[in-house]
Amino acid sequence: TNKSYTCSLHNEETTTILQGITKGYPTEIDFNILTSQVSKLFLLLTDIINKKISSFYYDWARQIINNMGQPGYYRAKGLSIIAEYLQEYFIIKKKILMKDHISPQTPNQYLYDILVPETTLCLIFEDHQNIALEEA
């Protein structure tokens, strides 16, 4: 139910915040300077993209994929195709997925967090009509 989801989310946020404080993370973030902080990382991120330096997260993801195979039913390639197609339709062509509809997420966050999984779930269900949607 929606109430249990809200309670669960609240408990997770409370736990996460307390863990962060314990680790010495700041209790407040100045979001007004966040983009300038990120822009200082552009050269580093460009070097990661161009594989001039390694990335902890890229190496970690590659290790998981190598150990377990490609993620999910549609694999990385299928998820990429689905995401690009949904982005083209909902963000670029129709301009339906706009920030004012989905705040606090960005259109791309919403697309990857909600629409791509929802689409894959529906497609899996369509492929295997003899299973319940929750099992897909």
Side-chain angles (χ1 to χ4, degrees):
T1 67
N2 197 16
K3 183 179 179 185
S4 64
Y5 172 76
T6 302
C7 291
S8 165
L9 183 62
H10 175 73
N11 288 335
E12 289 178 23
E13 288 176 343
T14 304
T15 302
T16 302
I17 290 170
L18 290 176
Q19 289 172 347
I21 291 171
T22 302
K23 292 179 180 180
Y25 293 176
T27 55
E28 293 184 29
I29 296 174
D30 185 354
F31 292 106
N32 294 320
I33 65 168
L34 188 58
T35 55
S36 66
Q37 290 174 305
V38 171
S39 66
K40 292 177 185 176
L41 298 173
F42 284 169
L43 289 175
L44 171 79
L45 297 173
T46 301
D47 285 346
I48 290 171
I49 291 167
N50 292 324
K51 296 184 174 48
K52 290 182 178 179
I53 60 173
S54 65
S55 161
F56 170 81
Y57 291 101
Y58 178 82
D59 295 342
W60 179 63
R62 292 303 312 161
Q63 183 178 6
I64 290 171
I65 290 169
N66 289 337
N67 290 338
M68 298 174 56
Q70 293 290 331
Y73 185 88
Y74 282 100
R75 306 179 192 265
K77 181 177 182 178
L79 294 178
S80 178
I81 291 169
I82 291 168
E84 286 178 22
Y85 190 66
L86 293 175
Q87 183 180 44
E88 176 68 30
Y89 183 80
F90 286 110
I91 297 175
I92 298 170
K93 184 177 180 183
K94 294 290 185 175
K95 297 183 182 1
I96 295 171
L97 196 55
M98 305 308 285
K99 189 166 179 129
D100 57 328
H101 292 108
I102 54 168
S103 184
Q105 290 181 299
T106 66
N108 279 327
Q109 286 173 325
Y110 189 87
L111 186 130
Y112 281 97
D113 294 346
I114 308 298
L115 297 183
V116 170
E118 186 72 28
T119 300
T120 58
L121 186 65
C122 291
L123 292 172
I124 292 168
F125 180 69
E126 189 177 299
D127 285 349
H128 303 279
Q129 292 183 4
N130 58 341
I131 63 171
L133 188 58
E134 294 82 19
E135 296 175 19

